[in-house]
Amino acid sequence: MTTANAGTGTTAVEQALSAFLVGHTGAEPEVEQDLFATGAISSMFAMELVVFLEDEYDIEIVGAELNRDNFRSIRAMAAMVLRLRETGDA
């Protein structure tokens, strides 16, 4: 079990995403920080985030969920993960 799977509440998902971002970018963004506006992530890196989230939380991010707004901040990504797990779209 990975760290991310150790807890699936909002805080646990946000912490796992923060750790992933720190490990890949060297910066620790705030949970509400616009990651695209600050240059912390690019569209290409967002695809790495998709793979990470799908693997860590056993979800499938497809179609409308691939909207940039779902990846704009740590909080937005955590909300998407929880929504997908809750609705059974995993």
Side-chain angles (χ1 to χ4, degrees), residues 9-83:
T10 301
T11 302
V13 175
E14 288 174 354
Q15 288 172 344
L17 279 163
S18 182
F20 180 80
L21 288 168
V22 168
H24 285 77
T25 67
E28 185 170 1
E30 298 295 321
V31 295
E32 293 286 347
Q33 182 178 344
D34 187 325
L35 300 171
F36 290 103
T38 61
I41 64 172
S42 65
S43 295
M44 184 63 86
F45 183 65
M47 294 314 298
E48 286 185 53
L49 285 166
V50 169
V51 172
F52 168 74
L53 294 171
E54 288 181 334
D55 289 347
E56 291 296 304
Y57 295 101
D58 193 28
I59 59 174
E60 191 172 286
I61 303 170
V62 296
E65 296 299 341
L66 288 170
N67 185 311
R68 186 175 177 146
D69 287 338
N70 285 335
F71 297 89
R72 191 165 302 282
S73 69
I74 290 172
R75 178 128 319 135
M77 288 184 274
M80 176 186 61
V81 166
L82 295 174
R83 182 176 64 252

